[in-house]
Amino acid sequence: MITNLALDPGFGSSIGQGVGAIALYAIVGLLLMVFGFYAIDWTTPGKLSTLVRDGHPNAVIVTSAGLVSMALIVVVAIYSSAGKLAEGLLSALIFGLVGIVVQVLAVRLLEWVTRLDIGSLIQSDRFAPASAVVAAAHVALGLVVAVAIS
């Protein structure tokens, strides 16, 4: 008995479109994460990339939380686009930029309310529990913005 394995006629173009969409979303997400990293770096005393590279634990924690938060926003913006590529890319970009602004402002507000010196905190060579508070603020705001999108 011989069976033929046949693919639907549009299978190849569907795969091509899917791969293209993945690539475009990945580019937008990566650009937003890089921009978000530099927004945190620009608004925080000290060179964040150097602090992370040198292994300062608080800088690593805060930066990681910021990136996870940005990813949450981008993922929900993509998911909410319901398969419409142009709308998904544009909403991911717009909501991602809004999320970056909100996070930067919120961390500055947190710094003021708690009287934390985030610049000194992230430059420390020793783990400071307060960095977990800053990280939680990043993730919490990412969740708030992500849910607001949906």
Side-chain angles (χ1 to χ4, degrees), residues 1-117:
M1 172 178 202
I2 297 175
T3 58
N4 291 330
L5 179 62
L7 299 174
D8 288 334
F11 179 77
S13 68
S14 177
I15 291 295
Q17 288 174 351
V19 168
I22 290 169
L24 290 172
Y25 280 123
I27 290 168
V28 168
L30 182 61
L31 289 173
L32 285 169
M33 285 192 221
V34 168
F35 183 70
F37 174 84
Y38 282 111
I40 295 168
D41 187 22
W42 178 61
T43 59
T44 306
K47 185 71 176 144
L48 194 56
S49 59
T50 303
L51 295 171
V52 169
R53 190 172 39 255
D54 292 345
H56 292 263
N58 304 311
V60 170
I61 290 167
V62 170
T63 302
S64 299
L67 292 175
V68 167
S69 176
M70 183 54 51
L72 289 169
I73 294 167
V74 172
V75 165
V76 172
I78 292 168
Y79 183 75
S80 297
S81 69
K84 298 174 186 167
L85 181 60
E87 288 179 22
L89 290 169
L90 189 57
S91 64
L93 183 62
I94 291 168
F95 292 136
L97 291 172
V98 169
I100 290 169
V101 171
V102 167
Q103 284 183 342
V104 166
L105 293 174
V107 169
R108 294 301 128 224
L109 181 62
L110 176 70
E111 186 174 28
W112 178 74
V113 168
T114 61
R115 304 292 188 245
L116 286 174
D117 181 0

